[in-house]
Amino acid sequence: MTYLDKLIQSYSNKSLIMRIIIGLLLGAALGYFARVGVSGLDLDGGETNAWSNIANLARLFGDFFVSALKAVAPVLVFILILSSLVNKTFGSTTGLKRVIVLYIVGTLLAAFVGVGVSFMFPTPIALDGVDAANSPAPANVWEVLKTTFFKIVDNPVNALSSGNYVGIVAWAVGLGIALKFCTNETKRFIGDLSEGVTKIIQVVIQLAPIGIFGIITYTVYDLGVEGLATYAKLTGVLVLALILVAVVVNPLIVFFVTKKNPFPIVFTCLKESGIPAFFTRSSAANIPVNMNLCKKLGVDDELSSISIPLGATVNMAGAAVVIAILALSTAYTLGIRPDFGTALLLCVVSAVGACGTSGVPGGSLMLIPLACALFGIDNDIAFKVITVGVIISVIQDSMETALNSSTDALFTIIVSQTSKH
């Protein structure tokens, strides 16, 4: 086996997150050298054409990745929401309705936190080819509602082909409700279709290291290392919002339900559920951990066996935070300053959209175009923001999953404990 074969095998054996880090570092290094040249010349020096060609060649990889996301995202959103509505059975288990209410309330409050933190720390981000001077005029909430209502009644084929996410969600919800009582064979087919689309997006996500390499290379070449600093600041804003939900919002919800000191059970769930979820980055993979935690704390198996798997697909407080903050950061980048009414509407859209992510890796990022549509932001720009989300997912996705999964266990446990009294 040659040295190159060993290098390729070593790379392929690494986790996706490690490959993303490798792509990010290599892209930053190549972009830096392309910007200043090996001899230290800046972009105005003479001998930079070769480096410019290299940077533009690397950009093709990033453009290819963005195009792949644009192709699969509308179908993914439509099928996942449709399948979720058709195949979810909530049953009549004791306490389950209360858990579902807490899932909804927690996700909505998380969206409010995301919007609030973004308003306190507005964070424009470096996007290739995006100029604030060309941004659409800021819209008030009534204009947003008017545009949204007309998008709802768009032809479904046109909605899918043009990336009209408001129309896509409307048709998915409508068909999901209409097909709720269809035959088991139809439900099975829709479920299989959802699994198939999920596998396709997983393949696309595997291209992320190569796409990120190209995006980072050209970003550093075009904007300098300062461009990456905006990604770091955005990550900090996201982390702050996620921590606030975990240690402020969730304890308040627990106190409201139990009328007891909320922090012992909150920190227990963060320790025993959140930490494993942080490293696995999968709510679905963390289901056995949450089931064992619930059993350890005396939760009825009849409740946890339904609420925990259900929470892994619909309890998405972390996703709501991510959707809200990235959508607002996109608006700030374009010079748009949303009014309070539009921000409230964004909270609802973020919460509803988060519930449709269904635990797919990177699923929350796929709903960013839906939130951006509230501000009249073009899909091409929204998908560039998705790639930024993939870049910072090294930290963001881990913390988002930790919050989502630990909250599944937290709400199930407190409902079980209060139902026994």
Side-chain angles (χ1 to χ4, degrees), residues 59 127-131 134 218 222 384:
R59 184 184 187 183
L127 294 175
D128 168 41
V130 175
D131 188 351
N134 296 324
Y218 195 81
D222 188 41
K384 289 181 179 181

Side-chain angles (χ1 to χ4, degrees), residues 381-421:
I381 297 175
F383 278 96
K384 289 181 179 181
V385 177
I386 290 179
T387 63
V388 174
V390 175
I391 291 169
I392 65 175
S393 67
V394 172
I395 297 175
Q396 164 263 316
D397 193 38
S398 295
M399 293 204 63
E400 176 187 332
T401 306
L403 174 61
N404 289 340
S405 190
S406 62
T407 305
D408 297 343
L410 177 65
F411 289 166
T412 298
I413 291 167
I414 64 173
V415 166
S416 175
Q417 290 177 345
T418 53
S419 297
K420 294 177 180 178
H421 298 293

Side-chain angles (χ1 to χ4, degrees), residues 42-106:
D42 62 24
L43 288 177
D44 295 326
E47 302 167 9
T48 56
N49 286 337
W51 286 107
S52 177
N53 291 336
I54 291 173
N56 281 293
L57 179 62
R59 184 184 187 183
L60 291 177
F61 294 115
D63 290 344
F64 179 82
F65 179 60
V66 172
S67 295
L69 288 173
K70 288 177 65 176
V72 74
V75 179
L76 175 75
V77 171
F78 178 78
I79 295 297
L80 286 183
I81 294 177
L82 174 64
S83 177
S84 179
L85 288 170
V86 169
N87 289 295
K88 287 291 184 295
T89 302
F90 299 119
S92 56
T93 303
T94 302
L96 183 59
K97 290 182 179 179
R98 292 180 64 201
V99 175
I100 294 172
V101 169
L102 289 180
Y103 285 166
I104 296 171
V105 171

Side-chain angles (χ1 to χ4, degrees), residues 81-377:
I81 294 177
L82 174 64
S83 177
S84 179
L85 288 170
V86 169
N87 289 295
K88 287 291 184 295
T89 302
F90 299 119
S92 56
T93 303
T94 302
L96 183 59
K97 290 182 179 179
R98 292 180 64 201
V99 175
I100 294 172
V101 169
L102 289 180
Y103 285 166
I104 296 171
V105 171
T107 300
L108 185 59
L109 290 178
F112 277 101
V113 170
V115 169
V117 170
S118 189
F119 267 57
M120 288 189 292
F121 305 101
T123 311
I125 48 181
L127 294 175
D128 168 41
V130 175
D131 188 351
N134 296 324
S135 63
N140 61 48
V141 67
W142 301 114
E143 292 173 338
V144 169
L145 286 172
K146 177 183 176 182
T147 302
T148 301
F149 282 133
F150 277 100
K151 286 184 176 181
I152 288 174
V153 294
D154 192 10
N155 180 287
V157 176
N158 185 63
L160 285 167
S161 63
S162 63
N164 170 12
Y165 283 83
V166 176
I168 290 170
V169 171
W171 276 99
V173 170
L175 280 176
I177 294 172
L179 293 172
K180 186 66 180 175
F181 301 102
C182 63
T183 63
N184 290 332
E185 289 76 11
T186 301
K187 290 182 178 181
R188 192 177 302 115
F189 170 75
I190 294 174
D192 291 342
L193 194 60
S194 175
E195 289 290 328
V197 174
T198 299
K199 290 185 185 302
I200 292 175
I201 193 61
Q202 288 171 346
V203 171
V204 173
I205 293 298
Q206 290 300 316
L207 299 175
I210 298 174
I212 286 171
F213 166 76
I215 292 165
I216 291 296
T217 297
Y218 195 81
T219 298
V220 175
Y221 165 73
D222 188 41
L223 303 172
V225 178
E226 296 80 6
L228 295 183
T230 64
Y231 299 170
K233 183 179 179 182
L234 176 62
T235 303
V237 171
L238 282 166
V239 169
L240 173 61
L242 292 169
I243 290 175
L244 285 175
V245 175
V247 301
V248 177
V249 174
N250 283 352
L252 287 174
I253 294 174
V254 173
F255 178 76
F256 179 80
V257 173
T258 65
K259 304 299 188 293
K260 297 179 181 178
N261 179 7
F263 291 103
I265 188 62
V266 167
F267 287 126
T268 296
C269 289
L270 286 174
K271 176 184 175 183
E272 299 197 25
S273 173
I275 291 177
F278 180 90
F279 290 103
T280 61
R281 300 170 73 232
S282 170
S283 295
N286 213 49
I287 287 175
V289 175
N290 282 344
M291 294 289 289
N292 289 333
L293 176 59
C294 288
K295 186 173 183 179
K296 177 181 175 181
L297 296 179
V299 177
D300 191 342
D301 287 344
E302 184 181 0
L303 174 62
S304 61
S305 63
I306 299 176
S307 66
I308 295 299
L310 181 65
T313 59
V314 301
N315 182 36
M316 294 290 173
V321 169
V322 171
I323 293 169
I325 290 180
L326 287 180
L328 282 172
S329 290
T330 310
Y332 297 143
T333 302
L334 296 172
I336 301 172
R337 292 296 182 269
D339 58 25
F340 182 71
T342 306
L344 289 178
L345 184 59
L346 176 62
C347 292
V348 177
V349 170
S350 300
V352 173
C355 294
T357 60
S358 296
V360 177
S364 59
L365 301 179
M366 296 299 130
L367 272 297
I368 290 172
L370 171 62
C372 286
L374 291 178
F375 309 121
I377 295 173

